[in-house]
Amino acid sequence: MKCQKNKFILSGKKTYLNCAYMSPMLKKVEKAGIKGLKMKRAPYKIMPEDFFNEVELLKKAYASLINTPEHERIAMVPSVSYGIANITNNIRLEKKDNVVLVGDQFPSNVYPWMELTKKYGAKLTFIQKPKQNNKTGELWNKEILKNINKNTKVVSMGLVHWADGTIFDIQKIRKKTKDVGSLLVLDGTQSIGVMPFDNQKTQPDALICAGYKWLLGPYGSGLAYYNSVFDNGKPIEESWVNRKNSEDFSNLINYEEEYGELSKRYNMGQQSNFITVSMLKEGIKQINNWGVDNIYAYIKTITSSNFNLLDKSKVWYEEEPYRAAHLFGLKPKKNLKNILKNIRKKNIFISLRGETIRVSPSVYNKKEDVEKLFNCISKNI
């Protein structure tokens, strides 16, 4: 695979290494959005089937991406917090139960669990990142596994840590959750679409993913996979679109008590947004065309060799195999303020998470882009 910058709307002398913040836009995604916008000009051309056809195609594209044969288990959601809320709305806890999260997890995958455990007087357990600078990821994974026990009702986490890209050993964690009978809920926002993932192999109970980062879609869009545990659950929203036979517009006033089958019940209201659905579908189609394995391999080739430019005694970064190629943290031990000043001066775009510089290149970058950042850090520590 070669650099795909020509397919994106990126102009000027900017070095954008911040896809974990928000992806730039593919030209074809923008085109799809404009086409969807123009549909509203002629509402008399919008037929009842138009509310469902694009959504169906989007779900099928996403099912192919994550490798699940049942696209009917995928729901349209506007955000990760919405997708998680559908889960917490269907879980009852006892006081002896605990919910396991990783330390400094993104708030959308924390607040719902805070409210749930508070409601039932159960325990919320955060597994904090070890303070050791060596083998951090390895030790963190061991601590997570050690804290999953017979009282654990749910483990909810990302495939990688959103702030520094530490890779979590999801297969071992999945095995442990099955052994103790707990649910595994995954936030795929910072990994799905860029890092290889097989839903059939991992078998999570739920996988929630925002669409505006690595899925190359618009803000306010997302997708949620729910397995059979939630087949008869109650959604957080009472919408006409998540009811049985909602495709039959002529019978909508014959109010339906039953929800749609499988994950249809969890679809958000106004799921058929003609703009965002078409945009997200085009983003995922492009990812499927490239192939996630190819995407990740390419990003690894433009990042991995650059770590030789840094003095490990002066800059912390996660060691392989626990360091993601597409999202990783660099933590200078001194001169952070001056380093950030020089990064801005060089027109390099990154994110700062705590005292860690979060770097997240994608297929529109070249090795020279990453090298430019690493040199900027190396020369100022």
Side-chain angles (χ1 to χ4, degrees):
M1 188 176 185
K2 62 180 182 180
C3 180
Q4 301 294 316
K5 186 175 181 179
N6 65 316
K7 288 183 169 63
F8 289 83
I9 302 168
L10 282 169
S11 59
K13 296 181 179 180
K14 301 178 184 68
T15 303
Y16 192 75
L17 300 171
N18 209 10
C19 196
Y21 172 69
M22 189 178 294
S23 72
M25 193 169 287
L26 280 163
K27 294 173 183 176
K28 61 172 60 178
V29 168
E30 182 184 61
K31 188 176 179 181
I34 293 170
K35 183 180 178 181
L37 180 67
K38 287 180 177 178
M39 286 181 71
K40 194 68 166 62
R41 288 183 182 176
Y44 45 84
K45 292 182 180 180
I46 300 175
M47 298 293 104
E49 57 267 25
D50 293 327
F51 285 80
F52 302 96
N53 290 346
E54 279 288 284
V55 172
E56 189 84 352
L57 291 172
L58 168 58
K59 290 181 180 181
K60 286 180 178 178
Y62 187 65
S64 176
L65 176 65
I66 65 172
N67 190 28
T68 181
E70 298 176 288
H71 73 276
E72 299 91 347
R73 293 200 173 280
I74 296 165
M76 290 288 303
V77 295
S79 62
V80 169
S81 57
Y82 186 104
I84 298 289
N86 274 325
I87 297 169
T88 57
N89 199 46
N90 291 284
I91 293 176
R92 292 187 178 184
L93 301 176
E94 297 180 16
K95 286 189 176 181
K96 65 180 178 63
D97 293 333
N98 67 63
V99 173
V100 172
L101 308 179
V102 297
D104 297 327
Q105 188 157 282
F106 193 78
S108 293
N109 198 10
V110 174
Y111 291 134
W113 302 111
M114 286 175 64
E115 291 304 308
L116 183 69
T117 51
K118 189 189 301 180
K119 178 181 178 180
Y120 291 102
K123 185 180 180 182
L124 189 62
T125 303
F126 288 95
I127 313 303
Q128 301 297 339
K129 181 179 180 179
K131 293 182 179 179
Q132 296 96 318
N133 287 328
N134 296 320
K135 298 186 176 180
T136 312
E138 181 181 343
L139 293 170
W140 202 355
N141 275 276
K142 285 181 179 178
E143 280 299 305
I144 293 167
L145 289 165
K146 189 169 75 174
N147 281 275
I148 300 170
N149 54 53
K150 63 181 181 179
N151 292 326
T152 302
K153 188 76 172 182
V154 183
V155 176
S156 188
M157 61 191 298
L159 293 153
V160 302
H161 197 277
W162 75 286
D164 63 16
T166 299
I167 295 174
F168 297 118
D169 196 336
I170 295 300
Q171 295 306 129
K172 287 184 179 178
I173 293 168
R174 171 73 283 194
K175 184 180 184 304
K176 186 70 180 287
T177 57
K178 283 187 173 182
D179 288 345
V180 301
S182 71
L183 298 177
L184 177 63
V185 176
L186 297 178
D187 178 359
T189 300
Q190 294 292 13
S191 52
I192 301 299
V194 63
M195 193 176 190
F197 175 80
D198 189 324
N199 200 71
Q200 289 197 80
K201 180 181 177 183
T202 305
Q203 298 180 358
D205 296 289
L207 171 69
I208 319 296
C209 192
Y212 67 97
K213 299 177 187 284
W214 302 98
L215 293 182
L216 309 179
Y219 201 71
S221 66
L223 295 155
Y225 164 87
Y226 301 103
N227 78 356
S228 58
V229 172
F230 301 100
D231 280 357
N232 299 304
K234 185 173 176 59
I236 59 171
E237 190 173 358
E238 301 295 346
S239 166
W240 67 272
V241 81
N242 63 13
R243 297 281 173 157
K244 191 176 180 181
N245 300 319
S246 57
E247 296 87 353
D248 186 0
F249 279 29
S250 64
N251 277 309
L252 289 181
I253 58 170
N254 293 324
Y255 304 120
E256 178 63 64
E257 290 191 8
E258 290 186 49
Y259 294 113
E261 293 182 355
L262 304 182
S263 293
K264 181 179 178 181
R265 66 185 58 221
Y266 299 114
N267 283 324
M268 66 182 187
Q270 298 190 23
Q271 64 156 19
S272 312
N273 185 312
F274 304 115
I275 302 169
T276 57
V277 169
S278 295
M279 294 173 75
L280 184 55
K281 185 194 73 175
E282 285 303 317
I284 293 173
K285 277 177 62 181
Q286 180 62 76
I287 293 167
N288 282 333
N289 287 338
W290 283 326
V292 175
D293 287 349
N294 295 328
I295 292 170
Y296 195 72
Y298 172 77
I299 297 173
K300 197 166 187 177
T301 62
I302 67 171
T303 58
S304 57
S305 62
N306 283 302
F307 284 90
N308 295 327
L309 300 172
L310 299 177
D311 185 339
K312 191 76 163 69
S313 67
K314 296 180 179 179
V315 182
W316 174 88
Y317 53 82
E318 186 56 78
E319 300 160 11
E320 291 187 297
Y322 294 98
R323 183 181 70 238
H326 70 290
L327 194 167
F328 51 86
L330 303 174
K331 189 175 182 181
K333 296 181 180 178
K334 61 179 182 178
N335 297 336
L336 178 60
K337 191 174 181 179
N338 189 48
I339 289 169
L340 293 174
K341 183 180 177 181
N342 279 279
I343 287 173
R344 285 191 292 270
K345 192 181 292 183
K346 295 283 187 181
N347 223 8
I348 301 170
F349 293 82
I350 46 84
S351 285
L352 186 68
R353 297 293 177 258
E355 295 182 340
T356 302
I357 297 168
R358 188 182 71 180
V359 189
S360 51
S362 189
V363 293
Y364 42 77
N365 293 117
K366 293 183 178 180
K367 182 181 177 181
E368 291 78 12
D369 295 333
V370 184
E371 187 177 342
K372 182 179 177 183
L373 171 68
F374 276 54
N375 281 330
C376 188
I377 295 172
S378 182
K379 290 174 183 178
N380 289 281
I381 52 176

